[in-house]
Structure formats: structure tokens, C-alpha cells
Amino acid sequence: MMLKRIYQQAKKHPGLIPQFFFIILGAGGASLYLIRLARGPHVCWDRKNNPEPWNNLSPTYQYKLVAVTTDYEKLKKEGPDF
């Protein structure tokens, strides 16, 4: 229903096609980023089986999307084991 309406508007006004494209691209990118955040190691969905999932990560785990100056392969653990 919604796609049909967008198609009809784009057919009447072809100058709107790039706007529709970038709006859909932005919404899709935002959705994928939210899914990535929800599946991250710092999010706890199950408190009974694994209450602190961030303690199971190795020091070389790259948890950032982009690490410009950090080389995660050379990091050493700086804390006790819990």
C-alpha cells in the first residue's frame, strides 16, 4: 500500500526519486545500526544464564565499529579474572 503510493508520486514527480532513495537508504542504515547495537557484547538480554556477558570477552575483542588508532591484537588484559 505504501510502496504503491510512493510509486504513484514518483511517477507524477520524477524529481522526488532521489529523495525517496535517500530516505529509504537512511532508514535502512539506521535500522541495521540499531540491530548491531542490540546484539553487542555490552547488552544483557538474559540475566539468569549470563548476568555479566562483558566479562567473557577477550582483551583483543574489537567492540567498536571503527578503531582508528587502537590495535586490538596487541592489547593485554589489565584486570583480574572474575
Side-chain angles (χ1 to χ4, degrees), residues 28-81:
S31 300
L32 290 174
Y33 186 66
L34 284 175
I35 290 170
R36 181 188 179 275
L37 286 177
R39 295 179 50 121
H42 53 278
V43 178
C44 183
W45 293 100
D46 184 14
R47 292 185 183 188
K48 292 181 182 178
N49 294 329
N50 194 5
E52 296 177 345
W54 47 88
N55 285 336
N56 297 335
L57 299 177
S58 68
T60 60
Y61 180 78
Q62 183 177 352
Y63 56 91
K64 291 188 175 184
L65 182 64
V66 177
V68 178
T69 59
T70 306
D71 187 13
Y72 284 93
E73 294 179 359
K74 295 180 181 176
L75 288 179
K76 295 180 181 175
K77 188 171 185 179
E78 297 179 3
D81 290 328

